[in-house]
Amino acid sequence: MSEIKTDKQALLRAIPPVDRLAGHDALASWRERLPLGLITDAVRRAIDTYRSQLVQGDSPDPDMSVGQLDDRLAALAEAVLREESLPPLRSVINATGILIHTGLGRSPLPQSAVDAISDVAANFAPVELEMQTGARGQRNDVVRDLLKELTGAESAVVVNNNAAATWLALMVVAQGRSAVLSRGELVEIGGSFRMPDVMQAAGVNLVEVGTTNKTRLSDYANAIDEDTAALLKVHPSNYRIEGFTESVAIEEVARLGRERGVAVIDDVGSGALFDYTPWGLGNEPDVRQSVQAGSDLVCFSGDKLLGGPQAGIIVGKQAWIDRVEKHPMMRALRVDKITLAALGATLQLHRDPQLAAREVPVLHMLTTPIDQLQTRGEALRDALLKRGDFAAVELTQAHAYMGGGSNPAQAVRSLALRICATDQSEQELAQALRSHAPRVLPRVADGAVWLDLRTVFPRQDGDLLEAIVAASQARTNEGKSS
Ligand SMILES: *Cc1c(COP(=O)(O)O)cnc(C)c1O
């Protein structure tokens, strides 16, 4: 006992001064690349961490001699420098089976969108300039024609996300007046987007009609008075009432709005641009259908079923879109050249459903046949059984989910590797996967780690295999000591 204490004291006394450690041979290549100030910062952080480990608990290196301390600390400082030289946001392998995962940044972009981003990101790009005449242009012109073509709308505008789109549409149409909304559509979508709160933030008075399960056209009609500026429809994306229900189709709401001279705003959420039922997704409201029905403004997301960058898209009648573009808050909600480039490239792929299914990653993942997952899964399972030591590795039927504000009950048939380690709990194995490079996000259920193959790109299979092998062998001291 007293021996260990002496060792700790000796190590604490032997910690070198920052300047000496910053000159250590192991950091030579970093000194060539970085200013000395950044090296000494990293050295200081490494020393502080090591010192507090010594003071607080077990010696991190029980067998180490005082003479080895400089090398050990230099190695720690090098690890700090390496970590700090990587961008703070880096990609992960999504093995959760959730296709549009808001926590993972929603949709991975199509290759053409990635190329478009890289072109405009590293260069100048005419987002508000008419190149033919050299005159000032409108920011949304580069995507406006595509959006008109794909939705049949008279005009279109793009903002930061669909929450912003709905907020802005409400402000433009109904600020200081009231909007009618069915109690069945008075929903919360993803944490902080609650319809009543958004309306309040837009300065719009909410008039609730109908009941949670049933709303009829007469409910809307009876609620309209001289104060009514809008009839609002909201797709209850991630929420479903089953059984004794009734809601009013957008065609009927739009007709009523026309008859009574009240504008109609339709927040369709995920923004289906064509029929997804052949791919097993039912009930996603179609943007074109809402436009055709006569909605004045239709709002949807760029990064849900569209599979593009985060954006909110508003399409609709020319006069209303013009007013949206002139609204003072437009400046605060507008998108940058990177979003415009990615959105434009993604929209081009939606001109044809087959092209979209091939090139838009979330749609490609959604439509991948199960036997392709089977082939990949068997190869991974066999390689794991050969390479690692596991209590169990099975290829199991699983359910993937669209996620991201579409129907949560909408399960997609999938396959997952179900893994139990020999000397780690499922939580420890999952933690080791999350901290591996590249990092892997699995699902934990029924005492095992699940890796759903539908959301893993085939090009990531090799990395996934290495991550599982390494994670199953990882030391899990941190998990166990607490
Ligand atoms: C997802 C969703 C929103 C919010 O969209 P974001 O793009 O996440 O801001 C708003 N309304 C509906 C109906 C949605 O499904």
Side-chain angles (χ1 to χ4, degrees):
M1 201 60 198
S2 67
E3 218 178 74
I4 292 169
K5 255 191 180 148
T6 324
D7 276 349
K8 261 168 62 169
Q9 294 306 331
L11 282 173
L12 278 170
R13 273 197 308 272
I15 287 178
V18 170
D19 288 347
R20 189 174 98 208
L21 199 57
H24 194 283
D25 281 352
L27 302 177
S29 68
W30 289 99
R31 283 193 299 273
E32 282 165 25
R33 266 178 285 164
L34 291 180
L36 194 60
L38 294 184
I39 311 261
T40 51
D41 280 352
V43 163
R44 200 170 287 123
R45 261 194 292 280
I47 290 178
D48 286 350
T49 309
Y50 195 80
R51 183 185 284 120
S52 59
Q53 276 177 352
L54 271 180
V55 170
Q56 277 168 18
D58 316 328
S59 166
D61 310 289
D63 303 327
M64 199 178 69
S65 71
V66 164
Q68 295 166 306
L69 186 59
D70 274 32
D71 290 350
R72 173 82 172 106
L73 286 170
L76 288 174
E78 229 242 304
V80 170
L81 285 164
R82 220 176 313 125
E83 174 66 26
E84 288 180 352
S85 68
L86 295 170
L89 183 61
R90 306 194 293 284
S91 67
V92 302
I93 295 177
N94 173 14
T96 62
I98 299 168
L99 285 147
I100 302 172
H101 194 306
T102 302
L104 293 181
R106 298 214 177 139
S107 307
L109 295 177
Q111 189 57 48
S112 60
V114 173
D115 295 344
I117 285 179
S118 128
D119 173 42
V120 303
N123 296 289
F124 298 101
V127 288
E128 283 185 10
L129 199 88
E130 175 56 63
M131 286 305 280
Q132 221 158 7
T133 58
R136 199 174 172 92
Q138 282 259 19
R139 178 165 292 248
N140 290 286
D141 284 349
V142 290
V143 289
R144 202 190 311 271
D145 285 346
L146 267 167
L147 283 167
K148 284 160 65 177
E149 175 194 329
L150 291 170
T151 66
E154 290 173 12
S155 191
V157 49
V158 181
V159 292
N160 178 61
N161 58 12
N162 191 28
T166 307
W167 183 51
L168 189 57
L170 279 164
M171 278 196 294
V172 165
V173 174
Q175 191 159 48
R177 298 177 66 195
S178 63
V180 180
L181 177 65
S182 159
R183 291 196 172 90
E185 298 172 7
L186 207 51
V187 291
E188 167 175 315
I189 290 153
S192 55
F193 189 82
R194 298 178 132 194
M195 227 41 233
D197 298 344
V198 173
M199 294 177 73
Q200 194 181 17
V204 175
N205 179 35
L206 165 65
V207 177
E208 302 173 28
V209 296
T211 61
T212 306
N213 58 330
K214 286 209 174 207
T215 301
R216 301 186 183 82
L217 190 63
S218 56
D219 294 325
Y220 288 93
N222 294 336
I224 296 175
D225 60 22
E226 64 279 6
D227 199 39
T228 310
L231 304 178
L232 176 63
K233 285 279 289 175
V234 178
H235 179 48
S237 304
N238 50 6
Y239 166 76
R240 195 123 313 193
I241 315 176
E242 310 258 331
F244 188 61
T245 66
E246 189 172 332
S247 63
V248 186
I250 187 63
E251 284 78 6
E252 292 182 74
V253 175
R255 189 176 334 111
L256 177 66
R258 244 185 341 266
E259 281 166 13
R260 305 285 291 271
V262 176
V264 172
I265 302 172
D266 192 8
D267 173 10
V268 296
S270 52
L273 290 181
F274 37 76
D275 184 10
Y276 294 80
T277 44
W279 301 341
L281 285 192
N283 285 326
E284 286 301 331
D286 190 293
V287 177
R288 183 179 282 274
Q289 187 190 335
S290 181
V291 168
Q292 251 163 21
S295 296
D296 292 275
L297 293 173
V298 184
C299 307
F300 56 102
S301 291
D303 55 358
K304 290 182 177 173
L305 279 181
L306 216 59
Q310 177 186 306
I313 299 162
I314 314 176
V315 300
K317 304 267 169 69
Q318 181 81 53
W320 282 118
I321 296 288
D322 288 350
R323 287 181 57 185
V324 170
E325 287 194 282
K326 289 200 187 87
H327 192 277
M329 286 314 283
M330 183 64 209
R331 173 65 185 256
L333 303 175
R334 73 183 186 189
V335 295
D336 69 341
K337 61 178 179 176
I338 292 176
T339 300
L340 286 170
L343 184 61
T346 306
L347 289 170
Q348 282 172 330
L349 302 170
H350 282 269
R351 285 176 157 150
D352 178 77
Q354 302 311 321
L355 182 65
R358 202 178 66 212
E359 301 291 335
V360 178
V362 287
L363 298 181
H364 188 75
M365 286 171 168
L366 172 70
T367 56
T368 301
I370 202 91
D371 44 305
Q372 283 183 25
L373 302 183
Q374 180 87 29
T375 309
R376 290 169 50 205
E378 284 170 2
L380 280 166
R381 179 198 58 199
D382 295 349
L384 282 170
L385 289 171
K386 227 174 273 163
R387 291 273 308 275
D389 182 20
F390 300 94
V393 179
E394 297 155 15
L395 189 60
T396 311
Q397 299 248 2
H399 292 296
Y401 293 93
M402 230 24 233
S406 53
N407 184 358
Q410 188 92 60
V412 185
R413 253 184 87 206
S414 191
L415 284 175
L417 290 165
R418 185 181 173 281
I419 298 178
C420 300
T422 46
D423 61 354
Q424 284 167 304
S425 72
E426 66 275 21
Q427 298 296 348
E428 286 166 341
L429 179 57
Q431 202 273 328
L433 283 164
R434 288 196 304 270
S435 31
H436 186 266
R439 295 164 294 175
V440 177
L441 192 67
R443 202 163 66 211
V444 175
D446 308 329
V449 162
W450 295 65
L451 299 148
D452 195 305
L453 295 177
R454 192 171 284 287
T455 46
V456 177
F457 288 98
R459 60 174 155 79
Q460 295 175 323
D461 283 357
D463 282 344
L464 179 61
L465 173 68
E466 296 308 323
I468 301 168
V469 171
S472 70
Q473 292 158 1
R475 288 185 8 196
T476 53
N477 290 338
E478 286 164 48
K480 278 174 187 157
S481 66
S482 57

